[in-house]
Amino acid sequence: MTKALGIDIGGTGIKGAIVDVDSGELLTERVKLPTPEGGSPKAIVATVLELIEALGGVEAGIPVGICFPAVVHNGITMSAANVSHEWIGLEAEKLFEKGLGREIHFVNDADAAGYAEVRFGAAKGVNGLVLLTTLGTGIGTALIYNGVLVPNSELGHLEIGGKDAEHKAAYSAKEREDLSWKRWAGRLQKYYSTLEALFSPDLFIVGGGVSKNYEQFFPLLDLKTPILPAVLRNNAGILGAAALAVTENAAIVGPNISPK
Ligand code: BGC
């Protein structure tokens, strides 16, 4: 059994658990704390520490993976579509490492979710190009080819008809504009047809909270590519961040993180 801690930072909640990255099972309860108002870097690091305390601390040598809803390049957060602008250009990985007193592996949230689906979920054993999209406040995407993640794809920001795709087709657009399933599916049709034309994927996976209602909108889509709902839902970010921490950085070791 290979243990790792996965932490998923989102716009409304910060979730974490210790997981077995061989089986994809959670070894502790999933702790969820609200994202601090404003989402400033300092406040988020403090909440992550609180979350680790709530888990009873983390032993030395256990890899820690954290995912975040922004482009993450060489540990630096390069965008902030739905989070505080203070994150743009910030050495976020270093900030967490300083705050936690040990090394971490830091990745984009959709990349973590996509990787988790390939390792443990709907895309397990699928070869070729898997394109995961998360439909939430924004649209997150993960491109995975033969099990290898191509990070920071950001296809939620494709410009379709002169508009940012996530602004028109994220689940938040359905809610904000009170769109029926049919009208929202019309927008999703445009979005997924564009992805199909550009990437010819072998499989689409749809994550995000609304994927539990996939029966309401999948039948309204006409696509050549098979499309499946994500199976890991709420735990995808945690599992993917933890699994990537082990895969990408097998040698991470550090001191215990213990409750004060
Ligand atoms: C961000 C992505 C993120 C996605 C889902 C988008 O607005 O640009 O980095 O993965 O939202 O959280």
Side-chain angles (χ1 to χ4, degrees), residues 164-184:
D164 187 17
E166 87 169 16
H167 186 69
K168 298 296 276 182
Y171 179 59
S172 59
K174 179 180 186 311
E175 296 216 295
R176 188 176 60 239
E177 298 180 47
D178 200 16
L179 301 175
S180 63
W181 289 108
K182 194 163 167 229
R183 286 204 53 206
W184 186 50

Side-chain angles (χ1 to χ4, degrees), residues 68-71 79 81-82 108-111 134 137-141 154 157 166:
F68 190 82
V71 172
S79 66
N82 298 298
N108 169 265
D109 59 350
D111 282 344
T134 59
T137 311
I139 297 183
T141 61
E154 290 296 326
H157 299 294
E166 87 169 16

Side-chain angles (χ1 to χ4, degrees), residues 28-79:
T28 61
E29 57 160 346
R30 190 172 66 112
V31 173
K32 181 171 179 181
L33 297 174
T35 305
E37 193 76 29
S40 77
K42 208 173 148 204
I44 289 194
V45 172
T47 308
V48 166
L49 277 168
E50 223 181 283
L51 186 145
I52 290 170
E53 276 182 36
L55 284 169
V58 183
E59 296 153 41
I62 292 195
V64 179
I66 301 183
C67 67
F68 190 82
V71 172
V72 178
H73 195 231
N74 296 327
I76 302 175
T77 32
M78 304 296 288
S79 66

